[in-house]
C-alpha cells in the first residue's frame, strides 16, 4: 500500500512578542503561494513587565498561557499539521524565560522556541526577499533592513546583497530612554531625545559600518506597515515604496495628535497608538543618516519568515540562501580583523572538501558543515590582536561578534572549534569545552580535527594545495595531491603534528603524499 | 433650524410606532383575531415602554409630561377602540364575555364550584393598613382592591392578586362559540367569601408598572409571542411609573398617597385591563375563519434538496428571504455540516433560539461526529435568559466550546462558519443573516439570510469569530465591518462618499431599511448627504428620530414604515456609489447601542444577481399602498392611501415565493438556448410619491420586478 503524503500542509505560526501574541494559520502547498487562513493578535504586557523588572509577572504568564490556549483552539479547528511558536525580544530578555516556556508547554502543549537576534534576522531576511520578489534589486546597493520593535531595534546591513553585519539594539518604541519617559512624551522633547539617542547608537556602531553609505532602506514592523497603508491606500503589491517627503509629512501629522486621537481616528488599540509616534521617529532618525530617498516597506513580518522557511523545507526552493549569507557575514568579520583572505578561503575550501570526503566517518549534518566553514574562515582573525595565542584571540573575538544567522550556542561552537585549531587538544580541564553538551563536544572534536588538517595543508600560506583526493584504507588515510607540487615537506611536517587529533578522533592516522605522475 | 426640531424625540417616535401598530388593529381589512393580536401587542409594548424607557425619565425632563400625555392618549384610544368596536365584533363572532349581572342560577352554581375548587386556593387577600407597605404590589400583576369595614373599623383596604397561573378567561358551558368570564369578575362575585366578617364597600381593579433596569430590546417591540416573563413580573421595590386603576375616588387617592404618585402617572382605566392576556385568544386553536390564512414559508429546493451543498455554494452565493422562504435552508446547511466527514469545525453565534431547537440538536450531533464546535451564546438576550442557560448547558455537556461573548458587549450579530477540508485545501462556508437562529421567529420575522463560500468574506468571518470569542483583537477586515470597532465609521464614510459623488448630473442615492434610526451622528451624516443632493429613501419600521422633508435640512429624504403581519426585521443598506452600487446587510440598526455597545456585523452582497434581487426588495416596499406609513416633516405618520391598484408588499412577496417554489426543478438538459430578449419586462417605478411633483423628476428609480421573479428564467 502506497500512501502518498499530501503535499498540502496547514501550519500555525505563533509569535510571542513584546506587546502582543500573534498567530497566523496558513496553508502551504509547495506549488503555490502561501495561503493565509487566520490572523490573530492579542495584546500582552510582557514588554512593560520585562523592561521594568527584568521578568514576566506571574499574571503576565497566566495571561499569555490563556491566549495561547485560545489560539490553539482556533488552530485545532483547522486540524493543523504543525504549530510553531517563537518568542522574541521581551521573553528573550526575561530572567524567568525558561520558567515561562516550560509553563507554556505544560499547560498548552505548545513548544515555545525562544528566538535569538540572529535567528530573527534570518527569518526577517527570508521574509523581506520574498516580499521584494526580485522587483527591488539589492545588487550594487548598500542596504539597511531595519525593524523598530517595541522592545528592540534590529538592523541588518547588506552590501551588494551580501550580509555585512547585524545588530540588535536595546531600544524600541516601548523601551525609550528614561528621559523620554520622564518628559511624558511631549512631542518636541521626544523628538530631540530620540534623535540624540539614535545618533549615539550609530556613532558607537560606526566601526562596523557607515550608515551614510546606505542608499536603500527597507523597513519592517507594524508601525511602518500602518504608515505605508495610510499613505498609499489600495496598494495591492507585496511591498510599498514610500517617498521620504511623504514619510516626514505623515510623521509630522501624527506628532500633532494625542494617542487618543490616533486610536479613535485609525481604529487602533490605545497601546499601539501610544507607541506609533516614537517608533516612526526612530525610523525617521535612521533614514536621515542615510542617503536613501525612499523607504521600502515589505508587507511581511517575522511570522511570514517562519512560514516561508517551512515552505522552503517542503519545496526545496530557496530564494534566500541563508548559509551563503552566514558566510558573507563571517567574511565581513574577517575583513574587519584584517584576515588573510586567500588563506582563509583556501582553508575553508579544504576543510569542506575533507568534511565531504569523510561523510561516513563523522556522521554530521549540513549545519556542522556550515559551522566548520565559518570556523575555517575565521580561524586566524586573532592574529589581529597578537600573534601569540592567536587561536585564543580568534575564539573570543568570535564570541563577542555578531554573525548573521548564528545563534549564541552556534557561535560558541565555532569559537571552540577555532580555539582548537592549534595548540592543545580538547581536554576535560577546559571549561569552555566541558560546558558543551556531549554531542556538541564530539562535534567540536571532529570539526577541530578536520580544521587542523586543513590549516596544515595551507601552512605555507601560499595556497599551494587547493585540491586532493582522499584514500581510505584500514592502515590509514592518505591525502594525495597533484604531482605538479614538487615539494610538500612543510605541509607534511606540519600535518604530522597537527594531524594527531585527527588520528585520535577518527581512530585512523592521516598522511599527505604526492601522486606519482601518470604515464 | 433649531436644535429642538432637528431631531424627533425618540420616546415620542416610539409611541408613534405603537400608534401605527394600533392602526393595524383598526384596519378592518384584517381578520378579527389578527386585529385583536395587534391590540395585545400595543399593550405589551406599552408595558415594556413604561418599565424601561419612561422609568429613565425624570419629571424635570422637558419630554416627561409629553410622554405621559401621549402614552395615555394612546392607551385611551386602544381601550376605547377595543370596547367600542372589537368587543362588539367578538360578540358577533360568538366570542362573548359574560358579565356577572348576566348570570343565571345554573351559571352561578357552576361558577361557584370553579371558584371554590380551583381559584380560591390560589387567592391570598392582603389587608392594607394605613402603615402597611405597598411594595408588595407585583409589577404588571392585576389586583382587585376592596374597601372593607367591620365594626372595629380596623382595616380599610384589602388587595387580592388575580392569579397569573389560572386562565384569565374562564370558559363557560355554551353551545356555540366561546363564552367566558374573566377571572377578576369571578373573584368579585364571590369576594364575600374572602372577607368574612367584613363588609365590602367598594371594589376596584389596579395594576402597577415598575421601573426596570434593562435596556429596550428592539427585537420585542412588535412581537407579541414572548413578552414579559415571570422574572420581570416579580420585580418589587422599584418605583411605580404607572398605575392603571378603576376604583372609587377615595381608593385612588389612597393609592396615590401610599405609592407616592403624581397624577400624571395614574391612568384611569375604563375598559378591560391587560389586553395582552385577552389577545392570547388569537393564538388558540380554532376560529380559523377569524384569523388570517397562515403562511407556510416556501422550501428552497435548490438548497434543501442538494446533498452536496458545498459544491452549490462554491458555484454561487445564495439568498433566502424569510419568512417567505423557509429557515429550513439553514437547518439543512447545518445538518450537512454536522454530518459531513470533511467538515472540521463549526462556529456560530446564538442570540435567541427556539426551544427545543433543531439548531442545538445539530450542533450536538456535530460534536458527536468529531467536529470542533464553538458556540457564542448571548445570555443577556432579554427575557430568554433561563431558556438560554438550559441549552447552553446541554451544549457544554456534549463537548462543544461554549463562550459567553465579549465582556459588557451583547453579541447581536448572526453568523455561522463551517470549516471544511477539501482536496485542494481548506474551504470555508458562511451563513450570515439579519435574523436570529430561531425556527419560530423565522416564520414571522422578515429577514435576509445569506450563504457564501467567497474566500475574502469567509476569511473575514473567521476573523470576526476570533474577535467575538475574545481570542483576538480586531484586525483589518477586507469586506465586513463590525461594531463596536468601526461599524459606525463605515456607515458614516459610505454616506459621506455618497454625498461627495453626488453632483448635478447624477445625484447619489441611499436606500436603507432598518428597525430604528436613532443615532445622531448618522442622522447628521444623512442630513449632510441630503443637502449635497443625495436622494435618500428610508424604510424604518420603528423609532425614527430623523425629520424628513425639511427644506434646507432634509428635503431629499423620505421615511416610510411598514407594519404588517410579518415583523419587518431585515436591515438592508444600498448606496448608489456613482453606478457601482453597493449593497450591505447587517444585524445592526442605526442606534447608538448597536454601534457602541454591541457586537454587530455588516457584510456586502457582491453577487450581481442577488444585488439586483435585494435592491428590488428594498424598492418594493415604497410601492406598497396598503400597509405603508409615511413620515411627514411635522413628525406625524400618515397611512398611504392610493387610488392606484392595491399593492401589498408582504403579500406580493408571498406570491413570488410561492411561484418560485412551485416551479419544479428542471434538468439541465431541458434548458434550451434562448434568444436574447428585449427588456420588455414589467418595471416598477418608485417615484418618491410622497414629496412634491417637481422633486419626483429628480428621483426616479426604476427597478426590475422580475429580478425577484426568477421563475421566468427557468421557463
Amino acid at each position: 500500500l502506497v500512501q502518498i503524503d499530501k503535499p498540502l500542509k496547514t501550519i500555525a505560526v505563533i509569535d510571542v512578542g513584546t506587546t502582543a501574541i500573534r498567530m497566523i494559520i496558513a496553508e502551504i502547498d509547495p506549488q503555490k503561494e502561501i495561503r493565509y487562513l487566520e490572523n490573530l493578535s492579542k495584546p500582552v504586557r510582557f514588554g512593560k513587565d520585562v523592561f521594568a523588572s527584568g521578568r514576566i509577572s506571574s499574571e503576565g504568564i497566566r495571561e499569555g498561557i490563556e491566549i495561547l490556549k485560545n489560539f490553539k483552539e482556533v488552530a485545532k479547528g483547522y486540524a493543523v499539521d504543525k504549530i510553531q511558536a517563537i518568542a522574541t525580544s521581551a521573553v528573550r530578555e526575561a530572567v524567568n524565560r525558561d520558567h515561562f516556556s516550560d509553563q507554556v508547554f505544560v499547560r498548552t502543549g505548545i513548544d515555545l522556541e525562544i528566538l535569538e537576534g540572529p535567528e530573527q534576522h534570518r527569518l526577517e531576511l527570508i521574509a523581506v526577499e520574498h516580499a521584494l520578489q526580485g522587483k527591488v534589486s539589492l545588487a550594487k546597493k548598500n542596504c539597511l533592513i531595519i525593524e523598530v520593535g517595541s522592545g528592540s531595534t534590529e538592523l541588518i546591513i547588506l552590501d551588494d546583497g551580501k550580509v555585512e553585519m547585524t545588530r540588535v539594539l536595546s531600544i524600541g518604541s516601548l523601551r525609550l530612554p528614561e528621559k523620554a519617559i520622564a518628559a511624558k512624551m511631549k512631542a518636541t522633547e521626544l523628538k530631540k531625545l530620540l534623535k540624540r539617542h539614535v545618533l549615539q547608537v550609530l556613532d558607537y556602531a560606526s566601526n562596523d559600518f557607515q550608515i551614510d553609505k546606505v542608499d536603500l532602506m527597507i523597513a519592517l514592523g507594524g508601525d511602518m506597515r500602518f504608515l505605508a497603508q495610510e499613505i498609499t491606500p489600495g496598494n495591492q503589491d507585496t511591498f510599498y515604496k514610500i517617498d521620504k517627503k511623504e514619510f516626514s509629512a505623515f510623521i509630522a501629522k501624527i506628532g500633532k495628535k494625542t494617542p487618543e486621537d490616533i486610536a479613535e481616528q485609525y481604529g487602533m488599540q490605545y497601546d499601539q497608538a501610544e507607541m506609533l509616534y516614537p517608533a516612526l521617529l526612530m525610523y525617521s532618525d535612521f533614514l536621515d543618516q542615510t542617503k536613501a530617498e525612499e523607504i521600502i516597506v515589505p508587507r511581511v513580518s517575522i511570522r511570514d519568515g517562519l512560514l516561508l522557511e517551512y515552505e522552503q523545507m517542503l519545496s526545496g526552493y530557496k530564494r534566500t540562501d541563508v548559509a551563503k549569507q552566514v558566510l558573507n557575514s563571517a567574511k565581513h568579520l574577517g575583513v574587519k580583523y584584517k584576515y588573510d583572505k586567500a588563506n582563509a578561503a583556501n582553508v575553508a575550501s579544504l576543510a569542506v572538501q575533507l568534511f565531504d570526503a569523510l561523510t561516513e566517518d563523522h556522521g554530521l549534518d549540513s549545519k556542522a558543515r556550515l559551522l566548520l566553514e565559518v570556523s575555517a574562515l575565521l580561524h586566524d582573525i586573532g592574529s589581529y590582536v597578537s600573534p601569540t595565542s592567536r587561536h585564543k584571540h580568534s575564539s573570543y573575538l568570535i564570541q563577542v561578534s555578531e554573525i548573521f544567522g548564528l545563534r549564541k550556542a552556534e557561535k560558541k561552537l565555532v569559537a571552540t572549534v577555532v580555539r582548537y585549531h592549534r595548540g592543545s587538544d580538547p581536554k576535560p580541564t577546559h571549561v569552555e569545552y566541558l560546558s558543551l553538551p556531549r554531542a556538541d563536544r564530539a562535534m567540536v572534536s571532529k570539526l577541530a580535527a578536520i580544521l587542523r588538517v586543513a590549516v596544515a595543508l595551507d601552512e605555507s600560506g601560499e595556497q599551494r594545495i587547493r585540491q586532493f583526493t582522499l584514500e581510505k584504507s584500514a592502515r590509514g588515510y592518505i591525502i594525495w595531491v597533484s604531482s605538479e607540487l614538487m615539494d610538500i615537506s612543510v605541509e607534511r611536517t606540519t600535518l604530522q603534528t597537527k594531524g594527531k587529533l585527527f588520528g585520535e578522533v577518527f581512530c585512523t592516522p592521516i598522511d599527505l603524499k604526492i601522486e606519482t605522475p601518470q604515464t | 433650524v433649531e436644535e429642538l426640531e432637528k431631531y424627533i424625540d425618540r420616546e415620542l417616535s416610539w409611541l408613534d410606532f405603537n400608534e401605527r401598530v394600533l392602526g393595524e388593529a383598526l384596519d378592518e381589512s384584517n381578520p378579527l383575531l389578527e386585529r385583536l393580536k395587534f391590540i395585545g401587542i400595543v399593550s405589551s409594548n406599552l408595558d415594556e415602554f413604561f418599565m424601561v424607557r419612561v422609568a429613565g425619565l425624570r419629571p424635570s425632563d422637558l419630554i416627561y409630561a409629553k410622554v405621559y400625555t401621549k402614552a395615555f392618549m394612546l392607551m385611551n384610544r386602544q381601550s376605547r377602540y377595543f370596547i367600542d368596536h372589537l368587543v362588539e365584533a367578538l360578540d358577533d363572532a360568538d366570542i362573548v364575555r359574560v358579565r356577572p349581572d348576566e348570570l343565571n342560577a345554573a351559571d352561578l352554581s357552576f361558577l361557584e364550584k370553579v371558584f371554590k375548587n380551583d381559584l380560591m386556593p390560589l387567592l391570598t387577600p392582603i389587608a392594607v393598613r394605613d402603615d402597611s407597605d405597598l411594595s408588595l404590589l407585583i409589577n404588571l400583576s392585576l389586583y382587585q382592591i376592596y374597601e372593607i369595614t367591620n365594626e372595629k373599623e380596623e382595616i380599610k383596604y384589602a388587595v387580592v392578586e388575580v392569579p397569573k397561573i389560572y386562565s384569565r378567561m374562564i370558559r363557560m358551558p355554551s353551545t356555540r362559540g366561546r363564552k367566558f368570564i374573566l377571572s377578576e369578575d369571578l373573584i368579585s362575585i364571590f369576594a364575600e367569601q374572602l372577607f368574612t366578617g367584613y363588609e365590602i364597600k367598594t371594589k376596584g381593579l389596579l395594576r402597577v408598572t415598575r421601573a426596570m433596569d434593562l435596556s429596550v430590546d428592539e427585537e420585542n417591540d412588535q412581537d407579541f409571542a414572548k413578552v414579559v416573563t415571570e422574572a420581570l413580573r416579580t420585580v418589587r421595590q422599584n418605583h411605580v411609573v404607572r398605575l392603571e386603576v378603576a376604583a372609587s375616588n377615595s381608593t385612588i387617592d389612597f393609592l396615590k398617597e401610599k405609592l407616592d404618585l403624581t397624577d400624571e402617572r395614574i391612568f384611569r382605566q375604563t375598559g378591560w385591563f391587560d389586553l395582552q392576556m385577552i389577545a392570547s385568544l388569537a393564538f388558540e386553536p380554532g376560529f380559523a375563519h377569524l384569523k388570517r390564512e397562515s403562511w407556510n414559508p416556501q422550501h428552497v429546493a435548490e438548497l434543501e434538496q442538494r446533498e452536496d451543498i458545498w459544491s452549490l455554494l462554491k458555484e454561487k452565493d445564495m439568498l433566502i428571504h424569510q419568512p417567505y422562504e423557509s429557515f429550513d435552508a439553514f437547518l439543512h446547511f447545518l445538518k450537512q455540516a454536522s454530518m459531513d466527514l470533511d467538515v472540521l469545525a463549526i462556529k456560530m453565534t446564538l442570540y435567541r433560539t427556539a426551544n427545543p431547537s433543531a439548531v442545538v440538536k445539530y450542533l450536538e450531533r456535530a460534536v458527536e461526529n468529531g467536529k470542533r464546535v464553538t458556540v457564542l451564546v448571548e445570555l443577556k438576550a432579554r427575557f430568554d435568559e433561563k431558556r438560554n442557560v438550559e441549552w447552553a448547558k446541554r451544549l457544554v455537556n456534549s463537548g462543544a466550546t461554549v463562550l459567553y461573548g465579549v465582556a459588557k458587549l451583547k453579541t447581536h450579530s448572526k453568523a455561522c462558519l463551517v470549516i471544511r477540508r477539501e482536496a485542494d485545501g481548506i474551504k470555508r462556508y458562511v451563513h450570515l443573516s439579519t435574523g436570529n437562529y430561531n425556527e419560530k421567529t423565522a416564520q414571522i420575522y422578515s429577514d435576509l439570510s445569506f450563504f457564501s463560500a467567497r474566500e475574502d468574506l469567509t476569511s473575514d468571518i473567521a476573523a470576526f469569530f476570533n474577535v467575538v470569542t475574545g481570542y483576538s483583537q480586531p484586525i483589518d477586515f477586507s469586506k465586513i465591518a463590525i461594531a463596536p470597532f468601526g461599524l459606525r465609521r463605515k456607515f458614516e464614510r459610505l454616506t459621506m462618499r455618497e454625498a461627495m459623488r453626488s453632483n448635478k448630473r447624477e445625484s447619489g442615492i441611499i436606500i436603507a431599511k432598518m428597525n430604528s434610526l436613532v443615532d445622531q451622528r448618522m442622522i447628521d451624516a444623512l442630513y449632510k448627504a441630503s443637502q449635497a443632493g443625495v436622494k435618500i429613501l428610508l424604510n424604518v419600521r420603528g423609532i425614527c428620530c430623523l425629520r424628513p422633508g425639511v427644506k434646507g435640512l432634509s428635503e431629499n429624504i423620505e421615511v416610510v414604515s411598514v407594519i404588517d403581519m410579518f415583523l419587518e426585521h431585515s436591515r438592508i443598506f444600498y448606496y448608489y456609489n456613482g453606478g457601482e452600487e453597493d449593497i450591505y446587510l447587517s444585524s445592526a440598526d442605526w442606534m447608538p447601542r448597536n454601534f457602541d455597545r454591541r457586537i454587530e456585523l455588516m457584510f456586502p452582497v457582491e453577487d450581481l444577481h442577488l444585488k439586483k434581487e435585494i435592491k428590488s426588495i428594498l424598492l418594493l416596499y415604497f410601492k406598497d399602498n396598503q400597509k405603508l406609513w409615511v413620515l411627514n416633516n411635522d413628525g406625524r405618520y400618515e397611512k398611504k392611501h392610493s387610488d392606484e391598484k392595491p399593492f401589498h408588499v408582504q403579500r406580493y412577496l408571498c406570491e413570488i415565493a410561492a411561484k418560485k417554489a412551485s416551479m419544479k426543478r428542471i434538468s439541465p438538459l431541458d434548458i434550451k438556448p434562448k434568444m436574447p430578449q428585449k427588456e420588455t419586462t414589467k418595471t416598477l417605478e418608485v417615484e418618491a410619491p410622497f414629496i412634491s411633483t417637481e422633486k419626483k423628476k429628480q428621483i426616479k428609480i426604476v427597478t426590475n420586478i422580475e429580478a425577484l421573479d426568477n421563475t421566468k428564467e427557468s421557463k
Side-chain angles (χ1 to χ4, degrees), chain B residues 70-114:
Chain B
K70 190 164 174 144
F72 282 179
M73 270 169 62
L74 176 62
M75 286 166 67
N76 255 321
R77 279 188 65 204
Q78 177 206 22
S79 187
R80 281 265 62 80
Y81 186 80
F82 178 73
I83 297 290
D84 295 347
H85 296 87
L86 287 190
V87 168
E88 206 171 295
L90 287 167
D91 275 348
D92 291 346
D94 285 322
I95 300 174
V96 183
R97 172 184 176 185
V98 182
R99 300 282 181 166
D101 54 8
E102 298 163 353
L103 298 167
N104 58 31
D107 290 336
L108 276 171
S109 76
F110 165 76
L111 287 174
E112 185 161 15
K113 261 184 230 148
V114 173

Side-chain angles (χ1 to χ4, degrees), chain A residues 118 132 225 467 477 493:
Chain A
L132 301 187
R225 286 198 298 275
Q467 283 158 12
Y477 292 177
T493 325

Side-chain angles (χ1 to χ4, degrees), chain A residues 422-443:
Chain A
R422 50 179 286 164
S424 152
D425 289 348
K427 281 198 187 96
T429 50
H430 294 169
V431 176
E432 289 287 292
Y433 178 73
L434 205 64
S435 68
L436 295 172
R438 181 194 296 262
D440 284 353
R441 287 205 296 262
M443 178 168 81

Side-chain angles (χ1 to χ4, degrees), chain A residues 394-450:
Chain A
S394 297
S395 178
Y396 71 73
L397 283 177
I398 289 166
Q399 293 250 37
V400 298
S401 301
E402 285 193 22
I403 301 170
F404 172 85
L406 292 192
R407 33 192 323 189
K408 220 183 234 164
E410 291 161 347
K411 241 166 38 189
K412 191 175 168 191
L413 289 174
V414 171
T416 318
V417 171
V418 168
R419 158 75 179 76
Y420 292 120
H421 93 265
R422 50 179 286 164
S424 152
D425 289 348
K427 281 198 187 96
T429 50
H430 294 169
V431 176
E432 289 287 292
Y433 178 73
L434 205 64
S435 68
L436 295 172
R438 181 194 296 262
D440 284 353
R441 287 205 296 262
M443 178 168 81
V444 163
S445 298
K446 290 178 203 169
L447 297 183
I450 295 172

Side-chain angles (χ1 to χ4, degrees), chain B residues 209-233:
Chain B
T209 311
R210 293 182 184 273
M212 291 289 306
D213 321 315
L214 291 169
S215 62
V216 188
D217 191 326
E218 87 279 12
E219 302 295 326
N220 246 356
D221 52 15
Q222 198 185 320
D223 171 24
F224 175 70
K226 8 191 85 81
V227 231
V228 193
T229 59
E230 294 308 304
L232 279 176
R233 286 175 176 270

Side-chain angles (χ1 to χ4, degrees), chain B residues 336-355:
Chain B
Q336 295 291 313
S338 71
M339 303 189 313
D340 188 293
L341 286 175
D342 295 320
V343 167
L344 297 171
I346 302 172
K347 301 183 186 193
M348 77 181 288
T349 60
L350 273 184
Y351 178 63
R352 283 163 181 280
T353 191
N355 198 29

Side-chain angles (χ1 to χ4, degrees), chain A residues 27 35 37-38 41 43 78, chain B residues 426 428 455 466 470 472-473:
Chain A
E27 206 169 75
R35 178 173 165 231
L37 294 167
E38 292 268 7
S41 163
Y78 289 87
Chain B
I426 294 282
R428 290 172 290 197
E455 175 73 15
N466 295 333
S472 175
Q473 64 190 50

